[in-house]
Amino acid sequence: MRTVLLDDRGYVTLLKLYLARAGYTAGPLFRAGINGRGGPLSYDAAHHRRRNYCTAARVEIDIHQLRHAHATELINAGVSIEAVRRRLGHASTETTQLYALLDDKVADAEIRAARRRRDQTIH
């Protein structure tokens, strides 16, 4: 089971509306409805839902690509590799680095900032 940080007020509002309409008071957020137990979605059920959503949206993306995109977005927003590692559940930052592609503009800005700090220390 994955835990996801949700701190965007707009998404939280939509989530609360979804929960109220669905009558959920506790338990997994995305539940299996077919089996009647209302337990957490299985891996296969999550993939099936994702496939249906992608078809409806006319996009081609798999869950692994979403993980890469999320890691890259976090890294490019300045989140530390260690925080991203923890978010993705990786054992090592080396694995996380394979996921995240640092944008050239972000890398350039980071290098410039390091040079400025160095120059300030020298003078």
Side-chain angles (χ1 to χ4, degrees):
M1 178 169 49
R2 297 271 184 202
T3 300
V4 177
L5 174 66
L6 186 61
D7 59 355
D8 180 286
R9 289 181 186 194
Y11 290 141
V12 170
T13 299
L14 289 173
L15 179 59
K16 286 180 179 179
L17 180 61
Y18 164 77
L19 292 173
R21 286 183 180 169
Y24 289 164
T25 56
L29 177 59
F30 301 105
R31 300 177 183 207
I34 295 172
N35 64 18
R37 293 188 315 243
L41 285 178
S42 68
Y43 186 80
D44 288 340
H47 274 284
H48 179 73
R49 285 188 182 188
R50 181 214 38 91
R51 187 172 49 249
N52 289 343
Y53 296 145
C54 287
T55 299
R58 296 182 180 158
V59 297
E60 290 286 328
I61 191 166
D62 63 35
I63 289 177
H64 196 71
Q65 290 170 314
L66 289 172
R67 283 176 58 84
H68 276 273
H70 179 61
T72 298
E73 179 184 58
L74 293 174
I75 293 294
N76 287 321
V79 176
S80 73
I81 193 76
E82 178 60 20
V84 175
R85 180 200 66 79
R86 291 179 55 93
R87 165 64 63 85
L88 296 178
H90 292 156
S92 72
T93 55
E94 288 79 17
T95 304
T96 306
Q97 288 171 332
L98 297 174
Y99 267 76
L101 303 171
L102 187 64
D103 185 272
D104 287 339
K105 291 177 189 175
V106 174
D108 291 348
E110 193 171 314
I111 291 167
R112 284 188 196 100
R115 287 179 180 158
R116 281 192 298 275
R117 285 191 302 274
R118 181 200 63 203
D119 292 347
Q120 289 172 355
T121 317
I122 293 172
H123 292 95

